[in-house]
mmCIF file of all heavy atoms in Angstrom:
data_model
loop_
_atom_site.group_PDB
_atom_site.id
_atom_site.type_symbol
_atom_site.label_atom_id
_atom_site.label_comp_id
_atom_site.label_asym_id
_atom_site.label_seq_id
_atom_site.Cartn_x
_atom_site.Cartn_y
_atom_site.Cartn_z
ATOM 1 N N MET K 22 -12.132 7.987 -1.498
ATOM 2 C CA MET K 22 -12.111 6.992 -0.508
ATOM 3 C C MET K 22 -10.775 6.970 0.132
ATOM 4 O O MET K 22 -9.748 6.958 -0.585
ATOM 5 C CB MET K 22 -12.568 5.576 -1.063
ATOM 6 C CG MET K 22 -12.649 4.524 -0.082
ATOM 7 S SD MET K 22 -13.089 2.969 -0.850
ATOM 8 C CE MET K 22 -14.793 3.364 -0.987
ATOM 9 N N ARG K 23 -10.537 6.866 1.445
ATOM 10 C CA ARG K 23 -9.383 6.627 2.134
ATOM 11 C C ARG K 23 -9.082 5.215 2.366
ATOM 12 O O ARG K 23 -9.891 4.516 2.969
ATOM 13 C CB ARG K 23 -9.328 7.467 3.492
ATOM 14 C CG ARG K 23 -9.547 8.976 3.294
ATOM 15 C CD ARG K 23 -9.874 9.769 4.525
ATOM 16 N NE ARG K 23 -9.191 9.165 5.789
ATOM 17 C CZ ARG K 23 -8.021 9.363 6.235
ATOM 18 N NH1 ARG K 23 -7.229 10.216 5.470
ATOM 19 N NH2 ARG K 23 -7.592 8.897 7.322
ATOM 20 N N VAL K 24 -7.907 4.681 1.912
ATOM 21 C CA VAL K 24 -7.699 3.217 1.906
ATOM 22 C C VAL K 24 -6.417 3.041 2.616
ATOM 23 O O VAL K 24 -5.403 3.615 2.366
ATOM 24 C CB VAL K 24 -7.718 2.755 0.400
ATOM 25 C CG1 VAL K 24 -7.561 1.228 0.424
ATOM 26 C CG2 VAL K 24 -8.964 3.177 -0.289
ATOM 27 N N ALA K 25 -6.365 1.857 3.309
ATOM 28 C CA ALA K 25 -5.225 1.329 3.983
ATOM 29 C C ALA K 25 -5.085 -0.126 3.515
ATOM 30 O O ALA K 25 -6.052 -0.817 3.164
ATOM 31 C CB ALA K 25 -5.273 1.314 5.499
ATOM 32 N N SER K 26 -3.828 -0.684 3.595
ATOM 33 C CA SER K 26 -3.569 -2.072 3.171
ATOM 34 C C SER K 26 -2.825 -2.629 4.269
ATOM 35 O O SER K 26 -1.916 -2.137 4.947
ATOM 36 C CB SER K 26 -2.692 -2.042 2.023
ATOM 37 O OG SER K 26 -2.244 -3.300 1.528
ATOM 38 N N LEU K 27 -3.196 -4.048 4.476
ATOM 39 C CA LEU K 27 -2.558 -4.860 5.501
ATOM 40 C C LEU K 27 -1.668 -6.055 5.042
ATOM 41 O O LEU K 27 -1.368 -6.988 5.820
ATOM 42 C CB LEU K 27 -3.689 -5.276 6.540
ATOM 43 C CG LEU K 27 -4.671 -4.374 7.064
ATOM 44 C CD1 LEU K 27 -5.546 -5.112 8.029
ATOM 45 C CD2 LEU K 27 -3.853 -3.317 7.845
ATOM 46 N N ASN K 28 -1.323 -6.021 3.710
ATOM 47 C CA ASN K 28 -0.641 -7.074 3.200
ATOM 48 C C ASN K 28 0.206 -6.645 2.015
ATOM 49 O O ASN K 28 -0.243 -5.721 1.310
ATOM 50 C CB ASN K 28 -1.766 -8.164 2.710
ATOM 51 C CG ASN K 28 -1.231 -9.292 1.973
ATOM 52 O OD1 ASN K 28 -0.871 -9.117 0.764
ATOM 53 N ND2 ASN K 28 -1.068 -10.396 2.549
ATOM 54 N N LEU K 29 1.377 -7.180 1.828
ATOM 55 C CA LEU K 29 2.247 -6.712 0.841
ATOM 56 C C LEU K 29 1.561 -6.788 -0.667
ATOM 57 O O LEU K 29 1.659 -5.804 -1.404
ATOM 58 C CB LEU K 29 3.526 -7.410 0.786
ATOM 59 C CG LEU K 29 4.565 -7.087 -0.345
ATOM 60 C CD1 LEU K 29 4.922 -5.569 -0.202
ATOM 61 C CD2 LEU K 29 5.796 -7.903 -0.247
ATOM 62 N N CYS K 30 0.938 -7.830 -0.854
ATOM 63 C CA CYS K 30 0.209 -7.988 -2.136
ATOM 64 C C CYS K 30 -0.860 -6.825 -2.478
ATOM 65 O O CYS K 30 -0.930 -6.184 -3.473
ATOM 66 C CB CYS K 30 -0.526 -9.305 -2.407
ATOM 67 S SG CYS K 30 0.746 -10.674 -2.452
ATOM 68 N N THR K 31 -1.589 -6.575 -1.316
ATOM 69 C CA THR K 31 -2.628 -5.524 -1.461
ATOM 70 C C THR K 31 -1.932 -4.178 -1.427
ATOM 71 O O THR K 31 -2.426 -3.204 -1.836
ATOM 72 C CB THR K 31 -3.743 -5.694 -0.398
ATOM 73 O OG1 THR K 31 -3.110 -5.660 0.938
ATOM 74 C CG2 THR K 31 -4.556 -6.876 -0.696
ATOM 75 N N ASP K 32 -0.829 -4.020 -0.751
ATOM 76 C CA ASP K 32 -0.071 -2.814 -0.792
ATOM 77 C C ASP K 32 0.300 -2.473 -2.216
ATOM 78 O O ASP K 32 0.088 -1.309 -2.670
ATOM 79 C CB ASP K 32 1.378 -2.965 -0.069
ATOM 80 C CG ASP K 32 1.251 -3.028 1.420
ATOM 81 O OD1 ASP K 32 0.288 -2.539 2.059
ATOM 82 O OD2 ASP K 32 2.238 -3.490 2.025
ATOM 83 N N GLU K 33 0.673 -3.457 -2.998
ATOM 84 C CA GLU K 33 1.085 -3.234 -4.279
ATOM 85 C C GLU K 33 -0.139 -2.889 -5.261
ATOM 86 O O GLU K 33 0.067 -2.046 -6.141
ATOM 87 C CB GLU K 33 1.894 -4.411 -4.914
ATOM 88 C CG GLU K 33 3.239 -4.571 -4.396
ATOM 89 C CD GLU K 33 4.084 -5.740 -4.719
ATOM 90 O OE1 GLU K 33 3.461 -6.715 -5.267
ATOM 91 O OE2 GLU K 33 5.328 -5.697 -4.666
ATOM 92 N N LEU K 34 -1.261 -3.539 -5.015
ATOM 93 C CA LEU K 34 -2.472 -3.174 -5.685
ATOM 94 C C LEU K 34 -2.794 -1.699 -5.412
ATOM 95 O O LEU K 34 -3.192 -0.910 -6.267
ATOM 96 C CB LEU K 34 -3.557 -4.082 -5.302
ATOM 97 C CG LEU K 34 -3.604 -5.379 -6.062
ATOM 98 C CD1 LEU K 34 -4.651 -6.232 -5.377
ATOM 99 C CD2 LEU K 34 -3.850 -5.325 -7.460
ATOM 100 N N LEU K 35 -2.741 -1.293 -4.095
ATOM 101 C CA LEU K 35 -3.155 0.022 -3.681
ATOM 102 C C LEU K 35 -2.160 1.029 -4.318
ATOM 103 O O LEU K 35 -2.611 2.003 -4.878
ATOM 104 C CB LEU K 35 -3.143 0.128 -2.146
ATOM 105 C CG LEU K 35 -3.553 1.450 -1.569
ATOM 106 C CD1 LEU K 35 -4.970 1.725 -1.984
ATOM 107 C CD2 LEU K 35 -3.469 1.307 0.011
ATOM 108 N N LEU K 36 -0.924 0.807 -4.201
ATOM 109 C CA LEU K 36 -0.009 1.692 -4.771
ATOM 110 C C LEU K 36 -0.045 1.908 -6.268
ATOM 111 O O LEU K 36 0.310 2.953 -6.816
ATOM 112 C CB LEU K 36 1.445 1.343 -4.479
ATOM 113 C CG LEU K 36 1.863 1.453 -2.966
ATOM 114 C CD1 LEU K 36 3.087 0.679 -2.640
ATOM 115 C CD2 LEU K 36 1.872 2.900 -2.421
ATOM 116 N N THR K 37 -0.451 0.890 -6.937
ATOM 117 C CA THR K 37 -0.679 0.892 -8.378
ATOM 118 C C THR K 37 -1.980 1.464 -8.858
ATOM 119 O O THR K 37 -2.013 2.260 -9.817
ATOM 120 C CB THR K 37 -0.541 -0.475 -8.943
ATOM 121 O OG1 THR K 37 0.771 -1.029 -8.600
ATOM 122 C CG2 THR K 37 -0.526 -0.541 -10.417
ATOM 123 N N LEU K 38 -3.031 1.198 -8.164
ATOM 124 C CA LEU K 38 -4.325 1.597 -8.611
ATOM 125 C C LEU K 38 -4.891 2.873 -8.077
ATOM 126 O O LEU K 38 -5.784 3.545 -8.613
ATOM 127 C CB LEU K 38 -5.400 0.431 -8.379
ATOM 128 C CG LEU K 38 -5.048 -0.824 -9.084
ATOM 129 C CD1 LEU K 38 -6.080 -1.955 -8.560
ATOM 130 C CD2 LEU K 38 -5.169 -0.773 -10.506
ATOM 131 N N ALA K 39 -4.573 3.243 -6.830
ATOM 132 C CA ALA K 39 -5.238 4.342 -6.076
ATOM 133 C C ALA K 39 -4.551 5.685 -6.561
ATOM 134 O O ALA K 39 -3.354 5.775 -6.840
ATOM 135 C CB ALA K 39 -5.142 4.086 -4.582
ATOM 136 N N ASP K 40 -5.367 6.775 -6.298
ATOM 137 C CA ASP K 40 -4.813 8.002 -6.452
ATOM 138 C C ASP K 40 -3.980 8.299 -5.153
ATOM 139 O O ASP K 40 -4.381 7.802 -4.038
ATOM 140 C CB ASP K 40 -5.976 9.060 -6.483
ATOM 141 C CG ASP K 40 -5.493 10.520 -6.578
ATOM 142 O OD1 ASP K 40 -5.204 11.168 -5.556
ATOM 143 O OD2 ASP K 40 -5.401 10.955 -7.754
ATOM 144 N N PRO K 41 -2.738 8.913 -5.175
ATOM 145 C CA PRO K 41 -1.996 8.990 -3.956
ATOM 146 C C PRO K 41 -2.723 9.550 -2.768
ATOM 147 O O PRO K 41 -2.454 9.253 -1.756
ATOM 148 C CB PRO K 41 -0.812 9.905 -4.545
ATOM 149 C CG PRO K 41 -0.657 9.617 -5.906
ATOM 150 C CD PRO K 41 -2.073 9.330 -6.349
ATOM 151 N N ALA K 42 -3.553 10.571 -3.071
ATOM 152 C CA ALA K 42 -4.264 11.240 -1.953
ATOM 153 C C ALA K 42 -5.178 10.182 -1.214
ATOM 154 O O ALA K 42 -5.657 10.550 -0.168
ATOM 155 C CB ALA K 42 -5.088 12.367 -2.522
ATOM 156 N N GLN K 43 -5.612 9.070 -1.806
ATOM 157 C CA GLN K 43 -6.403 8.057 -1.247
ATOM 158 C C GLN K 43 -5.697 7.196 -0.179
ATOM 159 O O GLN K 43 -6.370 6.601 0.571
ATOM 160 C CB GLN K 43 -7.227 7.293 -2.310
ATOM 161 C CG GLN K 43 -8.112 8.100 -3.131
ATOM 162 C CD GLN K 43 -8.623 7.211 -4.185
ATOM 163 O OE1 GLN K 43 -7.975 6.927 -5.212
ATOM 164 N NE2 GLN K 43 -9.928 6.806 -4.008
ATOM 165 N N ILE K 44 -4.421 7.072 -0.370
ATOM 166 C CA ILE K 44 -3.670 6.090 0.414
ATOM 167 C C ILE K 44 -3.401 6.575 1.856
ATOM 168 O O ILE K 44 -2.733 7.616 1.935
ATOM 169 C CB ILE K 44 -2.306 5.750 -0.343
ATOM 170 C CG1 ILE K 44 -2.611 5.162 -1.711
ATOM 171 C CG2 ILE K 44 -1.577 4.675 0.534
ATOM 172 C CD1 ILE K 44 -1.524 4.940 -2.567
ATOM 173 N N VAL K 45 -3.893 5.864 2.765
ATOM 174 C CA VAL K 45 -3.705 6.157 4.195
ATOM 175 C C VAL K 45 -2.512 5.532 4.776
ATOM 176 O O VAL K 45 -1.746 6.143 5.543
ATOM 177 C CB VAL K 45 -5.053 5.848 4.990
ATOM 178 C CG1 VAL K 45 -4.803 6.038 6.450
ATOM 179 C CG2 VAL K 45 -6.226 6.558 4.542
ATOM 180 N N SER K 46 -2.370 4.217 4.406
ATOM 181 C CA SER K 46 -1.243 3.370 5.070
ATOM 182 C C SER K 46 -0.954 2.209 4.268
ATOM 183 O O SER K 46 -1.924 1.670 3.700
ATOM 184 C CB SER K 46 -1.642 3.130 6.503
ATOM 185 O OG SER K 46 -0.670 2.318 7.106
ATOM 186 N N VAL K 47 0.319 1.781 4.268
ATOM 187 C CA VAL K 47 0.734 0.471 3.701
ATOM 188 C C VAL K 47 1.654 -0.179 4.774
ATOM 189 O O VAL K 47 2.034 0.479 5.706
ATOM 190 C CB VAL K 47 1.591 0.730 2.372
ATOM 191 C CG1 VAL K 47 0.684 1.244 1.255
ATOM 192 C CG2 VAL K 47 2.859 1.538 2.616
ATOM 193 N N THR K 48 1.820 -1.471 4.483
ATOM 194 C CA THR K 48 2.558 -2.141 5.573
ATOM 195 C C THR K 48 4.084 -1.841 5.432
ATOM 196 O O THR K 48 4.476 -1.284 4.424
ATOM 197 C CB THR K 48 2.504 -3.707 5.298
ATOM 198 O OG1 THR K 48 3.200 -4.023 4.057
ATOM 199 C CG2 THR K 48 1.056 -4.191 5.302
ATOM 200 N N HIS K 49 4.749 -2.114 6.470
ATOM 201 C CA HIS K 49 6.202 -1.793 6.507
ATOM 202 C C HIS K 49 7.004 -2.494 5.399
ATOM 203 O O HIS K 49 8.011 -2.035 4.859
ATOM 204 C CB HIS K 49 6.822 -2.164 7.892
ATOM 205 C CG HIS K 49 6.713 -3.652 8.309
ATOM 206 N ND1 HIS K 49 7.675 -4.577 8.027
ATOM 207 C CD2 HIS K 49 5.558 -4.375 8.610
ATOM 208 C CE1 HIS K 49 7.255 -5.796 8.249
ATOM 209 N NE2 HIS K 49 6.033 -5.650 8.749
ATOM 210 N N LEU K 50 6.425 -3.670 4.894
ATOM 211 C CA LEU K 50 7.093 -4.436 3.809
ATOM 212 C C LEU K 50 7.024 -3.574 2.515
ATOM 213 O O LEU K 50 7.999 -3.649 1.713
ATOM 214 C CB LEU K 50 6.361 -5.739 3.517
ATOM 215 C CG LEU K 50 6.397 -6.667 4.739
ATOM 216 C CD1 LEU K 50 5.564 -7.891 4.428
ATOM 217 C CD2 LEU K 50 7.810 -7.088 5.047
ATOM 218 N N ALA K 51 5.983 -2.733 2.252
ATOM 219 C CA ALA K 51 6.023 -2.006 1.085
ATOM 220 C C ALA K 51 7.011 -0.797 1.060
ATOM 221 O O ALA K 51 6.996 -0.209 0.027
ATOM 222 C CB ALA K 51 4.608 -1.364 0.966
ATOM 223 N N GLN K 52 7.736 -0.697 2.127
ATOM 224 C CA GLN K 52 8.793 0.394 2.178
ATOM 225 C C GLN K 52 10.150 -0.204 2.109
ATOM 226 O O GLN K 52 11.084 0.578 2.288
ATOM 227 C CB GLN K 52 8.562 1.110 3.473
ATOM 228 C CG GLN K 52 7.076 1.717 3.446
ATOM 229 C CD GLN K 52 6.849 2.629 4.830
ATOM 230 O OE1 GLN K 52 7.539 2.321 5.759
ATOM 231 N NE2 GLN K 52 5.855 3.392 4.704
ATOM 232 N N GLN K 53 10.252 -1.488 1.897
ATOM 233 C CA GLN K 53 11.586 -2.153 1.948
ATOM 234 C C GLN K 53 12.000 -2.549 0.481
ATOM 235 O O GLN K 53 11.261 -3.247 -0.198
ATOM 236 C CB GLN K 53 11.529 -3.328 2.828
ATOM 237 C CG GLN K 53 11.290 -2.983 4.321
ATOM 238 C CD GLN K 53 11.176 -4.137 5.198
ATOM 239 O OE1 GLN K 53 11.613 -5.288 4.853
ATOM 240 N NE2 GLN K 53 10.661 -3.996 6.238
ATOM 241 N N PRO K 54 13.254 -2.094 0.015
ATOM 242 C CA PRO K 54 13.627 -2.453 -1.333
ATOM 243 C C PRO K 54 13.671 -3.926 -1.577
ATOM 244 O O PRO K 54 13.479 -4.320 -2.695
ATOM 245 C CB PRO K 54 15.073 -1.816 -1.403
ATOM 246 C CG PRO K 54 15.018 -0.784 -0.302
ATOM 247 C CD PRO K 54 14.080 -1.311 0.750
ATOM 248 N N ALA K 55 13.964 -4.759 -0.636
ATOM 249 C CA ALA K 55 14.068 -6.185 -0.842
ATOM 250 C C ALA K 55 12.778 -6.851 -1.124
ATOM 251 O O ALA K 55 12.674 -8.011 -1.471
ATOM 252 C CB ALA K 55 14.737 -6.827 0.349
ATOM 253 N N GLU K 56 11.719 -6.153 -0.801
ATOM 254 C CA GLU K 56 10.350 -6.733 -0.816
ATOM 255 C C GLU K 56 9.604 -6.409 -1.994
ATOM 256 O O GLU K 56 8.760 -7.072 -2.499
ATOM 257 C CB GLU K 56 9.475 -6.362 0.451
ATOM 258 C CG GLU K 56 10.037 -6.827 1.815
ATOM 259 C CD GLU K 56 10.052 -8.363 1.926
ATOM 260 O OE1 GLU K 56 9.227 -9.064 1.179
ATOM 261 O OE2 GLU K 56 10.808 -8.881 2.642
#
């Protein structure tokens, strides 16, 4: 399944639970060290 996330909390769930090949997109917040 190809999955995208629209919220930092769901970004973290996706990054933790999904196989990397399934991740289509995360929010810009998931790419910031302060977040």
Side-chain angles (χ1 to χ4, degrees):
M22 182 177 285
R23 296 170 31 86
V24 185
S26 170
L27 303 181
N28 174 281
L29 180 59
C30 294
T31 55
D32 289 338
E33 290 179 338
L34 282 171
L35 183 60
L36 291 167
T37 302
L38 297 174
D40 184 273
Q43 295 177 284
I44 301 172
V45 175
S46 181
V47 294
T48 68
H49 61 95
L50 296 173
Q52 300 177 343
Q53 297 178 18
E56 297 295 336

